[in-house]
Amino acid sequence: MSGNIQLLSDTLAGAKAEGRAALIAYLPAGFPTVDGGIEAIKAAFDGGADVVEVGLPHSDPVLDGPVIQTADDIALRGGVKIADVMRTVKETYEATGKPVLVMTYWNPIDRYGVERFTAELAEAGGAGCILPDLPVQESALWREHAQKHALATVFVVAPSSKDARLAEITAAGSGFVYAASLMGVTGTRESVGAQAQDLVERTRVAGAGADLPVCVGLGVSNAAQAAEVAGFADGVIVGSAFVKRMLDAADDKAGVEGVRALAGELAKGVRRQA
C-alpha cells in the first residue's frame, strides 16, 4: 500500500483554493492512553482540523516544551510502542479519510529500521513524517524509502536558518515546510512574533522552484493568533494548546471534548482570512 502524500498535498491545496490557511493539529500517540489518543485525534478532525500530526513519544524531545513533555511521559509510562503509533495513524485515517502525519525524532526510526518504519506507515495510511532533528544532508536514506512508499518528508526551518540552508531544505523536502516561529521549544505564547512572517517569506523565496506550502508552528494557541498566522502562512500548526486542554480536563471524556472545541475555535480563526 502506498502512503498518502497526495492526500496531504490535495488538502493543503484545497485550503488555499478556499482562500485560507490549513489547520494542522498535533497530539501525541498513547496520551492519555492509546485508545484515548485516537479519540482525541478524531475529535480534532471533527472540530475542523485539516491535518493531524501524531507525535511519537520520545524520552528526550528536544523541540518540545513542558506541556508536550508531560504528555510524552504519560504515554511512555503507559508503555506506548511504535506499533501503537501505527495503529493510531491507521484508525484515525480510516475513520476520517484525512491526512495523518507522524512527528518523530530520528533515533526511534533508526533503531526500528527505515524500511520497516516507512513500509508500516504507508500500510497504515500515513501521509508522511515530520523529522525535526534529521539534518537534510544526512536524510538520503530516509528520503529514498519515503519516496518509494509515497510519504512526505517534512523538514523544520527556524529563524536562524540561512537562505542557502532554506534552499537546500525546500529542495529536499516534500509535503510542506514546517516553519518554527521562533527559537526555542513548543508551547503557548502571548504572541507569535514578526520573525515568523519573515521566515515564511524567506522560505518561499528560497524554495520558489519547489513551491512547497509553508506552515507555521510553535506558540499558536487561540483563534486570534491562528488568524494572524493565517494571514501570511499556508498552514497553522497547533500542538501544546491541544495537549493542555487534555491535561487540564477533569477526565478523558472532557479532554476529548476540549480538543473538539479548540479545533472549532481555531478553524474559525484560520477562516477569518477567507
Side-chain angles (χ1 to χ4, degrees), residues 67-81:
V67 170
I68 292 176
Q69 286 182 24
T70 299
D72 277 4
D73 185 58
I74 290 169
L76 291 168
R77 285 191 283 112
V80 70
K81 306 292 185 188

Side-chain angles (χ1 to χ4, degrees), residues 15-265:
K16 184 176 182 179
E18 293 175 15
R20 65 174 178 89
L23 174 60
I24 303 174
Y26 166 94
L27 284 160
F31 168 72
T33 61
V34 176
D35 288 339
I38 291 169
E39 291 307 308
I41 293 166
K42 290 178 185 176
F45 277 129
D46 287 345
D50 298 290
V51 179
V52 169
E53 304 171 11
V54 176
L56 194 160
H58 192 268
S59 57
D60 185 26
V62 294
L63 185 68
D64 298 309
V67 170
I68 292 176
Q69 286 182 24
T70 299
D72 277 4
D73 185 58
I74 290 169
L76 291 168
R77 285 191 283 112
V80 70
K81 306 292 185 188
I82 288 180
D84 299 313
V85 177
M86 298 298 179
R87 180 187 150 209
T88 299
V89 172
K90 181 179 175 65
E91 293 194 14
T92 52
Y93 167 65
E94 289 180 347
T96 66
K98 295 182 178 179
V100 184
L101 297 135
V102 169
M103 184 166 185
T104 178
Y105 298 98
W106 180 246
N107 183 259
I109 294 177
D110 191 39
R111 290 177 63 86
Y112 198 71
V114 176
E115 170 59 24
R116 180 185 178 193
F117 189 95
T118 51
E120 290 183 8
L121 182 56
E123 184 65 28
C129 259
I130 300 166
L131 300 158
D133 66 341
L134 178 64
V136 65
Q137 65 270 23
E138 297 175 20
S139 67
L141 177 64
W142 164 266
R143 288 187 287 121
E144 174 190 342
H145 289 290
Q147 186 172 16
K148 172 183 172 183
H149 292 290
L151 297 168
T153 298
V154 179
F155 291 113
V156 178
V157 298
S160 61
S161 300
K162 304 297 185 187
D163 291 348
R165 179 77 168 167
L166 294 176
E168 187 179 12
I169 286 172
T170 51
S174 55
F176 63 91
V177 178
Y178 186 127
S181 66
L182 40 73
M183 302 302 294
V185 296
T186 58
T188 61
R189 289 176 172 83
E190 293 300 316
S191 64
V192 178
Q195 286 187 99
Q197 185 167 359
D198 176 67
L199 177 58
V200 169
E201 291 171 356
R202 289 198 300 117
T203 303
R204 283 179 175 151
V205 170
D211 199 29
L212 282 181
V214 183
C215 304
V216 170
L218 272 68
V220 179
S221 61
N222 57 50
Q225 290 174 334
E228 176 192 355
V229 173
F232 58 81
D234 299 300
V236 180
I237 303 169
V238 182
S240 295
F242 281 113
V243 175
K244 193 171 188 303
R245 286 281 177 112
M246 295 187 70
L247 287 170
D248 291 346
D251 54 41
D252 291 354
K253 183 178 179 181
V256 168
E257 290 309 312
V259 165
R260 183 179 284 107
L262 179 58
E265 295 163 18

